Amino acid sequence: MYLKGGVLLTLLAAFQISTEGRGTQLCKPGFSEDVYHAAVSENLTEGQPLLKVRFVDCGRSGRLRYESSDPADFRIGDDGVLYAARSFRASTLRAVSLVVGARDPDTQERWQTRIKLTPTASGAPQHGRGSGAPDTPQQVREIVFPLWHAAGGDGLLKRTRRDWVIPAINVPENSRGPFPQELVRIRSDRDKNRLLRYSVTGPGADQPPTGIFIINPISGQLSVTKPLDREQISNFHLRAHAVDLNGNQVENPIDIVVNVIDMNDNRPEFIHQIWNGTVAEGRKPGTYVMTVTSVDKDDPGTANGILRYKILSQNPEIPSSNMFTINNKTGGIITVAAGLDREKVQQYTLIIQATDMEGNPTYGLSNTATAVIKVTDVNDNPPEFTADTFYGEVPENRVNVIVANLTVTDKDQPNTAAWNAVYKITGGDATGRFSVPTDPTTNEGLVTVVKPIDYEISRTFVLTVVAENEVPLDNNIHLTRQSTATVTIKVIDVNESPYFEPNPKLIKLEEGLPAESMLTTYTAQDPDRFMQQTIRYSKLSDPANWLKINPANGRISTIAVLDRESPYVKNNLYNVTFLASDNGVPPASGTGTLQIYLLDINDNAPHVYPQEAEVCEKPEPNAINITAVDWDINPNAGPFSFELANKPADVKKNWTITRLSGDYAQLSLKIGFLESGIYEIPITIMDSGNLPMFNTSYLRVKVCQCDHNGDCTDVERIIAAGLGTGAIISILLCIIILLILVLLFVVWMKRRDKERQAKQLLIDPEDDVRDNILKYDEEGDGEEDQDYDLSQLQQPDTVEPDTIKPVGIRRLDERPIHPEPQYPVRSAAPHPGDIGDFINEGLKAADNDPTAPPYDSLLVFDYEGSGSTAGSLSSLNSSSSGGDQDYDYLNDWGPRFKKLADMYGGSDD
């Protein structure tokens, strides 16, 4: 067959051509330039089928997806049937033109053709909704597309020149060769008059993975060089090229698709090796349990990848060996037999097999997995009491005590809602004195007393208790009766405390009641009616110690006068607590409170308030507002009357009092001027009680000079009042300043003493006066009384190293720096009396030192100054004629040399 461009194609796979319908089809992707005509009804209804498009599959049956260019008006189903998407009159649209396409979802190849729908009154009958005709695709015209079709009715093929058209090449995977294996030959008819060269490009040829496909450049023979694996690459898209010897393209490149045909070379693989599922006990047959899934790398569109499941074994095989079944296509496991009972079998283990090749045991490959199915618990077993009757006892008046433990058994799974028991009292406890909570650990019922029980009222209780679970029984369980038990509880009599009635008890009395007055009788009752006991009374709390009680009969009388104004009385009430004790075993006691409401009598005289005040010397302003204080209450208090006492005589002469109200009055100067000072003003105040009481109290008034604001300004006020706050503060400030001055002086003295002690031992020889007598006219009290630091009399090298001594400080006759024997070092703060021993030890060390140069000084302690009559200290013992030296003159040098005079002066003794 010659095609466009004069190319002659020789293929291993032939074209598939069909003559069904109106035309002939060629299996090549592309767009058909031909238009298909179809007549439709004039009135279209929603869902009415119009025509069916069918594709000559060329091996692609069932894998195409159809598309419409106008889905709003016309839609196409997966079976290729074209429907009306809505109801409308086709005549209004006249001729309708739309494009219908088909797409291969795997290779993404597309085929399209154009359809023209022409409305006609004699068109095809309507098959929309509501019509009586069945909606079947066989009643719809078929159009096959998309490449070539017959023109007219002569049956001849209308040839259209096209590019190279090569169908897909199918190559089985895992082929054993021999390799290279020829696939197809590509040839151009232009190679008759010139030499051409053929090449192939694309993945598998010149792109990774390279070298799989090769082409003979001269003959155009395309070959595969090694086995293919569909699970790695399922198809290859290549392009073939034809060029002349100069490299000029003589043909347009053509596409070559190589499909790798699947072989059954992979076993099914379960996603999980162990599958876990659950099913409730007692479920009916057909209950879904779980789904197991396996995958096969082979082509799922072929038998190689189509899997089938089955159950190989079940463990245990009770109550039936076939308790479960599996859907051989989906892997869903369901129950097929009744009798699932968790109390008998808690878990089933199934071995599941998956086989490809649609489960063919001869050719298919298989694999297995394990399915573990746990039987979950439901409440199919009610709790049952271990006994019909339980017993307990409880002392009366005790609460929150456990009197009996109720035990039950339940076959359901422990510590679940189907096992946890709930206890209810259904009889014998009308007053609600008991409850039965559940012990969460043992599941026992704890019969507990929640309200006090009186032995004198009830001696025995017989309770009826029902046991249930937290959740109701399963609907498939039907019980004839509930699990009940009887609990008999005995009440034990105990000695109860006596109680006062009423408590508290209130009585009203007037204050001022004398001692030994009888008030009332306050007795207690004993609740133990079946015990013969005696009650004794005593006083437990009496803050003011006003009352006493008869121990035998509870009569209460006074031992002191009752005073309403006592600090122990609050809001006119005085509380006394009494104790009642019986002689039971063990003894019991109870308390009662007697409240005495004290009525006020006029037994307190009023007195003036405030007791001190200030006024100015001149009349204006000079008024003082006063009132009265009375410990009594109305009507024994105000209103009050105020007046000045008759004595002394100058009181009424200088002062006047004016009543402002029943509780207040105003005191003011009667004269134009009163000298500054302190005045005691007697004021007589009388209350309004029945048999009123009066009292004369003194108001201390300070008369002083005042400024324009009426405030006192004179110093005499301060003097008259004594030391005020300001004076005290001033004195304290003076004391603080004095202490600070003393502290600063002490610090200064300490610092001066420290500077004197820290003075360098070695100074310039011309300025060194430490060993000279500074004051010649001061005798003093002796060397021991002087504040001298004799510790400075040390070897200079021990005080300051030679390496750090400044230039000009070292003496000219000082020993040079070289290793020396260790001379005695005097302590930092020696006693002044040991200086002689220190000098003698230093002398011995110097005499025994063979390396010591013959200096005049044995040891250099310090420069003594020029002109000293003492000479060198080395002459004390180093000279044999030292004993002839007269040291008596040292006594004339003062107390500092007294110790030397005692050591070296005087006689030989």
Side-chain angles (χ1 to χ4, degrees):
M1 182 181 293
Y2 288 89
L3 302 179
K4 180 180 179 181
V7 181
L8 176 63
L9 301 179
T10 303
L11 305 176
L12 297 179
F15 292 103
Q16 297 185 12
I17 301 175
S18 172
T19 58
E20 296 180 2
R22 295 182 54 210
T24 300
Q25 298 79 27
L26 183 62
C27 299
K28 177 190 183 298
F31 185 86
S32 175
E33 298 177 355
D34 300 315
V35 179
Y36 290 84
H37 295 271
V40 297
S41 175
E42 193 174 44
N43 297 322
L44 300 180
T45 60
E46 181 181 357
Q48 176 181 345
L50 305 179
L51 54 88
K52 180 177 181 180
V53 179
R54 187 171 66 85
F55 174 72
V56 178
D57 53 26
C58 299
R60 298 181 176 84
S61 178
R63 297 168 55 191
L64 299 180
R65 301 291 182 266
Y66 295 92
E67 301 170 348
S68 171
S69 62
D70 188 11
D73 295 333
F74 303 94
R75 59 181 177 86
I76 187 168
D78 293 337
D79 54 354
V81 177
L82 187 67
Y83 297 88
R86 60 185 180 87
S87 299
F88 59 95
R89 294 180 60 86
S91 60
T92 60
L93 303 177
R94 297 186 178 182
V96 179
S97 178
L98 70 152
V99 176
V100 175
R103 177 176 56 87
D104 189 333
D106 294 333
T107 63
Q108 300 300 322
E109 296 175 345
R110 293 179 179 271
W111 297 264
Q112 293 180 336
T113 189
R114 188 176 300 278
I115 299 175
K116 186 173 183 180
L117 304 177
T118 303
T120 175
S122 60
Q126 299 182 15
H127 300 295
R129 297 179 182 176
S131 64
D135 185 9
T136 59
Q138 288 75 7
Q139 299 173 345
V140 182
R141 292 180 64 250
E142 295 184 357
I143 297 178
V144 181
F145 78 101
L147 298 180
W148 293 4
H149 72 282
D154 54 2
L156 299 178
L157 294 177
K158 180 181 179 181
R159 184 173 183 272
T160 304
R161 296 185 57 83
R162 300 176 179 273
D163 290 338
W164 298 353
V165 179
I166 299 180
I169 303 172
N170 297 326
V171 180
E173 67 171 333
N174 302 323
S175 175
R176 296 185 178 181
F179 296 101
Q181 179 180 353
E182 295 181 356
L183 299 180
V184 67
R185 182 182 179 188
I186 301 174
R187 184 184 172 203
S188 171
D189 57 357
R190 296 183 181 180
D191 62 354
K192 295 179 180 180
N193 52 10
R194 52 179 165 174
L195 296 177
L196 300 181
R197 293 293 182 265
Y198 301 96
S199 63
V200 64
T201 60
D206 62 341
Q207 299 178 18
T210 60
I212 297 179
F213 299 97
I214 60 175
I215 190 171
N216 189 312
I218 298 176
S219 65
Q221 183 67 49
L222 180 65
S223 304
V224 61
T225 62
K226 61 181 180 180
L228 303 179
D229 188 355
R230 190 202 68 84
E231 285 69 45
Q232 292 184 358
I233 302 177
S234 61
N235 54 66
F236 296 87
H237 293 266
L238 307 176
R239 302 200 77 183
H241 306 269
V243 297
D244 59 15
L245 296 180
N246 295 325
N248 298 320
Q249 178 178 315
V250 297
E251 297 286 356
N252 291 330
I254 61 173
D255 293 328
I256 301 176
V257 178
V258 180
N259 292 328
V260 183
I261 304 304
D262 183 47
M263 305 294 289
N264 191 19
D265 58 344
N266 290 280
R267 290 182 178 273
E269 296 290 340
F270 282 92
I271 297 177
H272 305 291
Q273 194 60 35
I274 297 179
W275 297 79
N276 295 298
T278 59
V279 60
E281 62 176 331
R283 298 302 94 179
K284 296 179 180 180
T287 302
Y288 172 79
V289 179
M290 61 189 298
T291 298
V292 296
T293 306
S294 64
V295 294
D296 196 318
K297 295 180 181 179
D298 293 325
D299 188 358
T302 65
N304 299 333
I306 299 177
L307 307 181
R308 295 293 183 264
Y309 301 91
K310 71 176 182 178
I311 299 176
L312 297 181
S313 64
Q314 169 191 311
N315 183 35
E317 297 182 350
I318 56 173
S320 171
S321 60
N322 296 315
M323 296 294 296
F324 305 92
T325 186
I326 188 170
N327 187 310
N328 65 345
K329 294 183 180 179
T330 63
I333 300 175
I334 61 175
T335 61
V336 293
L340 290 174
D341 190 351
R342 189 203 66 85
E343 286 72 40
K344 295 180 180 179
V345 179
Q346 298 183 0
Q347 179 176 292
Y348 289 92
T349 302
L350 307 180
I351 303 300
I352 310 298
Q353 183 185 61
T355 306
D356 58 15
M357 297 297 291
E358 297 182 290
N360 190 312
T362 303
Y363 303 103
L365 302 178
S366 302
N367 214 334
T368 60
T370 301
V372 178
I373 301 175
K374 292 184 178 180
V375 182
T376 59
D377 186 42
V378 299
N379 191 17
D380 57 346
N381 293 281
E384 297 180 0
F385 284 101
T386 58
D388 294 334
T389 305
F390 296 87
Y391 299 93
E393 59 182 23
V394 59
E396 64 173 332
N397 299 322
R398 296 284 299 276
V399 293
N400 298 326
V401 294
I402 299 174
V403 297
N405 289 37
L406 310 183
T407 56
V408 295
T409 58
D410 196 321
K411 297 179 182 179
D412 292 320
Q413 185 175 356
N415 300 315
T416 62
W419 178 82
N420 295 335
V422 178
Y423 301 89
K424 296 181 180 179
I425 300 176
T426 59
D429 186 23
T431 58
R433 300 187 179 274
F434 299 92
S435 68
V436 188
T438 304
D439 188 325
T441 304
T442 63
N443 210 27
E444 295 179 348
L446 309 177
V447 182
T448 306
V449 180
V450 295
K451 292 182 180 180
I453 301 174
D454 192 352
Y455 174 83
E456 286 70 28
I457 298 176
S458 300
R459 301 186 183 183
T460 305
F461 289 87
V462 179
L463 308 179
T464 301
V465 182
V466 175
E468 299 175 346
N469 290 123
E470 290 183 354
V471 295
L473 289 174
D474 190 80
N475 295 330
N476 299 324
I477 305 301
H478 300 284
L479 293 181
T480 56
R481 65 181 184 88
Q482 288 182 315
S483 181
T484 61
T486 301
V487 184
T488 302
I489 301 174
K490 180 182 178 181
V491 183
I492 302 174
D493 189 19
V494 297
N495 185 25
E496 299 178 75
S497 300
Y499 63 92
F500 288 88
E501 186 67 29
N503 190 13
K505 182 178 181 180
L506 178 64
I507 62 174
K508 293 185 178 181
L509 299 173
E510 284 189 353
E511 65 172 330
L513 196 67
E516 302 300 332
S517 298
M518 174 64 184
L519 299 184
T520 186
T521 299
Y522 196 23
T523 58
Q525 300 179 12
D526 194 343
D528 298 311
R529 298 193 301 270
F530 303 99
M531 297 181 183
Q532 300 297 327
Q533 297 179 147
T534 303
I535 299 177
R536 304 287 293 180
Y537 302 95
S538 61
K539 187 170 62 173
L540 185 63
S541 173
D542 185 8
N545 197 24
W546 286 345
L547 307 179
K548 65 179 179 178
I549 188 171
N550 189 304
N553 54 29
R555 293 181 179 178
I556 300 173
S557 58
T558 62
I559 58 176
V561 177
L562 305 184
D563 187 5
R564 192 197 65 85
E565 288 74 36
S566 171
Y568 300 105
V569 177
K570 305 297 182 184
N571 298 325
N572 300 330
L573 285 177
Y574 180 72
N575 296 323
V576 184
T577 304
F578 298 98
L579 181 69
S581 304
D582 61 20
N583 58 350
V585 180
S589 60
T591 61
T593 300
L594 178 65
Q595 292 184 332
I596 303 175
Y597 188 89
L598 293 175
L599 302 175
D600 185 46
I601 62 174
N602 194 16
D603 57 347
N604 291 279
H607 57 274
V608 69
Y609 182 84
Q611 297 180 353
E612 293 184 358
E614 294 180 352
V615 295
C616 300
E617 295 175 334
K618 296 182 178 181
E620 295 297 338
N622 63 351
I624 302 173
N625 292 332
I626 61 174
T627 184
V629 175
D630 194 332
W631 296 114
D632 295 324
I633 60 176
N634 291 330
N636 297 320
F640 303 98
S641 62
F642 303 85
E643 66 177 29
L644 297 174
N646 296 324
K647 293 182 180 180
D650 59 347
V651 172
K652 290 188 176 183
K653 177 182 178 182
N654 298 334
W655 302 90
T656 181
I657 191 167
T658 304
R659 184 177 181 181
L660 299 178
S661 64
D663 295 327
Y664 292 92
Q666 191 176 71
L667 180 67
S668 58
L669 281 175
K670 191 176 183 180
I671 59 178
F673 176 82
L674 185 62
E675 185 179 356
S676 299
I678 298 176
Y679 298 87
E680 299 285 343
I681 310 300
I683 300 175
T684 302
I685 305 175
M686 185 173 62
D687 59 25
S688 299
N690 189 8
L691 299 178
M693 298 190 67
F694 62 91
N695 179 37
T696 300
S697 56
Y698 289 87
L699 175 63
R700 192 165 182 259
V701 179
K702 299 176 182 178
V703 179
C704 58
Q705 296 179 0
C706 298
D707 55 15
H708 63 281
N709 294 324
D711 297 327
C712 289
T713 57
D714 57 332
V715 182
E716 295 180 357
R717 171 171 172 258
I718 299 177
I719 298 175
L723 291 177
T725 303
I728 295 175
I729 293 176
S730 301
I731 294 174
L732 291 177
L733 289 176
C734 294
I735 295 174
I736 292 173
I737 294 173
L738 182 60
L739 291 176
I740 292 174
L741 292 176
V742 172
L743 181 61
L744 291 176
F745 178 76
V746 171
V747 171
W748 179 78
M749 292 297 294
K750 289 284 187 180
R751 180 176 297 177
R752 180 183 178 188
D753 183 63
K754 185 180 294 185
E755 291 176 354
R756 185 179 63 184
Q757 292 181 3
K759 187 177 181 181
Q760 293 292 336
L761 178 63
L762 297 179
I763 59 176
D764 189 90
E766 297 298 331
D767 299 329
D768 187 11
V769 293
R770 180 159 25 90
D771 287 346
N772 294 332
I773 298 175
L774 301 178
K775 295 182 179 181
Y776 297 93
D777 59 346
E778 179 180 352
E779 295 297 333
D781 294 330
E783 184 179 19
E784 295 180 357
D785 295 333
Q786 302 300 317
D787 188 13
Y788 287 97
D789 187 8
L790 297 179
S791 63
Q792 297 295 330
L793 295 178
Q794 303 181 40
Q795 185 177 354
D797 291 344
T798 64
V799 177
E800 183 177 1
D802 294 334
T803 57
I804 62 174
K805 186 176 295 185
V807 179
I809 300 302
R810 181 180 298 278
R811 290 175 49 180
L812 297 178
D813 60 341
E814 188 173 343
R815 300 176 64 179
I817 301 173
H818 56 80
E820 298 177 332
Q822 295 296 325
Y823 287 95
V825 179
R826 193 161 177 248
S827 61
H831 189 277
D834 65 353
I835 191 170
D837 297 335
F838 174 73
I839 293 175
N840 290 330
E841 291 176 2
L843 176 62
K844 292 179 182 179
D847 290 341
N848 296 328
D849 183 9
T851 62
Y855 293 115
D856 184 49
S857 301
L858 295 179
L859 288 177
V860 179
F861 293 95
D862 206 350
Y863 177 66
E864 295 180 352
S866 59
S868 173
T869 58
S872 175
L873 293 178
S874 63
S875 61
L876 293 177
N877 282 325
S878 61
S879 175
S880 60
S881 62
D884 298 334
Q885 181 70 29
D886 183 10
Y887 297 100
D888 291 338
Y889 63 87
L890 295 175
N891 291 321
D892 300 333
W893 286 11
R896 290 190 179 91
F897 298 92
K898 187 176 186 305
K899 184 63 68 176
L900 290 176
D902 293 340
M903 292 172 59
Y904 300 101
S907 62
D908 296 339
D909 297 338

